Amino acid sequence: MQLYADIVLPVAHGAFTFSLTEEVVAGRMVRVQFGARKHIMGVIWRVHGVRPPFAVKPVEEVLEGTISEEQMRFWEWIADYYMCSLGEVMAAALPAALRPEGLSGEEFAGEIYKPATESFVSLAVGDEVALNEAFESLGRAVRQYRALLEIAEAGGPDVPRKRLRADAAALRALEAKGLVRIMKRELAKGELPDLPVDLPVLSASQQRAFTDVKEKFDSTQVVVLQGVTGSGKTEIYINLIAEQLAAGRNVLYMLPEIAMSSQLVRRVRAWFGERVVVYHSRLTGRQRAVVWERVKSSQGGLVVLGVRSAVLLPVQNLGLVIVDEEHDASYKQEDPAPRYHARDAAIMLARATGAKTLLGSATPSLESFFNARAGKYGYVKLAERYGGVPLPQIMISDTLKAVARGERTVHFNKLLLDRLNEVLVNGKQAMLFQNRRGFAPYIECAECGAVIKCRQCNVAMTWHKGDGMLRCHYCGRAQRLPTVCPTCGAAALEPRGFGTEKAVDELVRIFPDARIARLDRDTAASAKRYESTIMAFEHGKTDILVGTQMITKGFDFGGVALVGILNADNLLAYPDFRAAERAFQTITQMAGRCGRRGEQGQVVIQTSQPANPLVRQAADGDYEAMACEQLAERAEFLYPPYCRLIEVTLRHRDAARLWEVANRLAMSGRAVFGRMLLGPQPPLVDKVRGEEILTLLLKVERGSSFADARRRLGELLSDKHLRGVRITCNVDPQ
Ligand code: ADP
Ligand code: ZN
């Protein structure tokens, strides 16, 4: 019987059918011809005998690699839940170096996935006499003669192939004549170092939390560990990890990208050394492939320390997943598909394999808090800092009052400047947070009020004074700052607002002797510079560190006595149901960077809304008050966690066509979902890279089937009248 295989290829599509010339099991990697000349790697999803009603090509080659059954089911879950194709999941999950695309046959052969094996060559002839005969028999076959000589001279059996200069053809010929043996051997897996004997000694309350977490794991699969900043969650993780490794299991330890500082990696490495496998976005394709293979071949005993995409690594024998800073929005992949949430995917993965999941945060996401309160997740709280260090004192500084009193110097209220001065005099350090990079977020004409916008995006361009360019933070386009207003021609262009670059500029003027550094996406573009900025601050060579979101997380610097939030209003201004929650998280995380050893730290929040309840809750460190108020609001207006959301985004260059299609979709959608389908409406930035954008929002109430809603939405989106408009679905948008 002719066999066929449905094969997943790393393209935005479901499986493709090919014919098979040999029996192969699902999960096997294969090489197929795709398009006229391209050869790409695929994964066999299903083998069957159903001849498709169209011509199919044969699979070109069955490769060595495989995807486990567990992985296949996990990919299927991601594709189904996040409404994307298996091909997109494959593209995200398999490192590019393992699935070279668009190569010729020979190129491909040199690149394909190879298990970690090494070839060894040894003489097959018995003694000196036989060897001499062999040499004679080779006569004029010079290359074979030399090859044999080389092997004989190398002495000993099992000469590593890579040490020989002989070419493959000569070796194969010698092998065919029975003169040498070529053997492939799996490389000895890098031996794992011993586990540490003495682990971090936990304080009494840490010990209680540690025991509590384990007890909760007896009855629940997921536990939320809410530990205030500086409570030493990492030390608890390390103790939990050690137990898993000792039991021979693997651990997945996930962190948001920007918290994956070398500082934390060093801390974890200090305990587990070579058992730590690090996976982040700065690895090259090759390095990713190496990690992938190391993880795949491990039966246990490894700590995989990685960012969002680490959840897609083929970890077997998984005992525990730790999702640190579980509230962090960067766990959600926004673009491209699969638009998965690594925390939620981790919970699914762990559930499918019988592992446990620990969600750690000082400020858990309201979803996790809600699940904990409902008893669905276990909940453990660690309310005090390690070593009895008090939590920082938080002061709210009213910007409008400061202006009225003449107590504001550019962007700094007197209160903050006074504290900064104290810090500098005392030889301590300060961190200042501003969630805008660049110099000025926008340039405005003082004559006509026009703002310079990007030509391709409906958004103001940010002025970067350092290199004198205006940059669009959406598409990256850059242009020189014009000398006159492009709208009215007046020479009255003025920078408005301020970003990190300007904050540093002003600080240098106010504190000429202070050593000031900046950390944001611009200065951290090079890994080296990022590292050196952090090192300098850690070693006290910098007094003030100004930065964006990048400095809020994970860092544990001992000398920081003061934290300043330069403009909390920015955080509150997002028109998003999560804005308050996020603002609370950012302020709390930022505040948590100071006073981590001994003396109490101080935090100054500059805002023009001192009475805003969120600002008060953040200042009081009152997470419960924030959570209760926000949850009440979400219940009232029906937002997560009281429902699930799917955001449908439509993009097209022609606004009229876009509206037409969006309205059509909204109409047909309302016939199915009624008032639970909202929109179309333009998002905050409604044009990017020349494409107009509209969104629709589907709310799915708890209790009604989410799977059913996704399926019905999927059907609506396959309407052929929608063609030509780019449509993407974002399930559980953040
Ligand atoms: P969190 O991640 O909860 O904010 P960290 O894990 O960074 O807190 O811990 C804060 C600081 O306290 C770190 O410098 C850490 O090394 C120290 N620390 C916490 N627990 C212990 C412990 N049991 N023994 C020694 N040092 C600890
Ligand atoms: Zn742009």
Side-chain angles (χ1 to χ4, degrees), residues 454 456-457 472 474-475 477:
C454 175
Q456 313 181 72
C457 313
C472 171
Y474 278 75
C475 71
R477 208 175 63 83

Side-chain angles (χ1 to χ4, degrees), residues 201 206 229-235 267 386 556 596-597:
V201 181
Q206 284 174 332
T229 55
S231 58
K233 293 185 285 296
T234 320
E235 269 69 17
R267 263 170 88 184
Y386 177 72
D556 182 38
R596 290 171 76 89
R597 314 267 193 284

Side-chain angles (χ1 to χ4, degrees), residues 85-147:
S85 65
L86 275 170
E88 286 166 316
V89 182
M90 174 181 175
L94 269 191
L98 288 179
R99 48 173 176 85
E101 282 155 50
L103 298 177
S104 71
E106 296 86 73
E107 283 171 328
F108 197 97
E111 281 279 321
I112 53 169
Y113 166 74
K114 294 217 175 62
T117 59
E118 192 172 358
S119 297
F120 295 88
V121 184
S122 49
L123 287 177
V125 287
D127 52 24
E128 206 69 9
V129 183
L131 184 61
N132 280 333
E133 271 172 26
F135 276 121
E136 261 163 53
S137 76
L138 288 176
R140 269 170 297 166
V142 184
R143 297 205 342 235
Q144 291 175 41
Y145 186 95
R146 278 207 212 117

Side-chain angles (χ1 to χ4, degrees), residues 412 415-434 503-504 507 511 514-519 533-534 536-548 551-552 555 557-566 590-596 600-604:
F412 309 96
L415 177 67
L416 180 58
L417 288 180
D418 287 349
R419 296 295 138 123
L420 267 173
N421 200 38
E422 255 173 57
V423 162
L424 293 172
V425 168
N426 294 331
K428 293 280 172 89
Q429 293 172 297
M431 291 173 95
L432 302 180
F433 169 80
Q434 170 65 351
V504 169
L507 284 170
F511 301 107
R515 297 163 301 174
I516 303 169
R518 169 161 69 98
L519 198 62
T533 305
I534 290 179
F537 194 66
E538 190 170 357
H539 293 143
K541 298 200 173 101
T542 309
D543 304 311
I544 306 175
L545 183 62
V546 179
T548 53
I551 62 168
T552 58
F555 288 118
F557 299 119
V560 182
L562 174 70
V563 157
I565 312 270
L566 297 186
M590 196 61 236
R593 297 312 109 207
C594 73
R596 290 171 76 89
Q600 187 182 30
Q602 294 192 322
V603 180
V604 175

Side-chain angles (χ1 to χ4, degrees), residues 28 54 73 127 176 189 203 240 284 330 348 370-371 431 449 475 515-517 574 589 592 608 676 733:
R28 209 49 196 269
F54 45 84
R73 298 294 86 82
D127 52 24
K189 300 265 153 47
S203 69
L240 289 166
T284 65
S330 75
M348 277 308 296
F370 177 83
N371 282 329
M431 291 173 95
C475 71
R515 297 163 301 174
I516 303 169
Y574 292 108
Q589 293 293 335
S608 61
M676 300 305 272

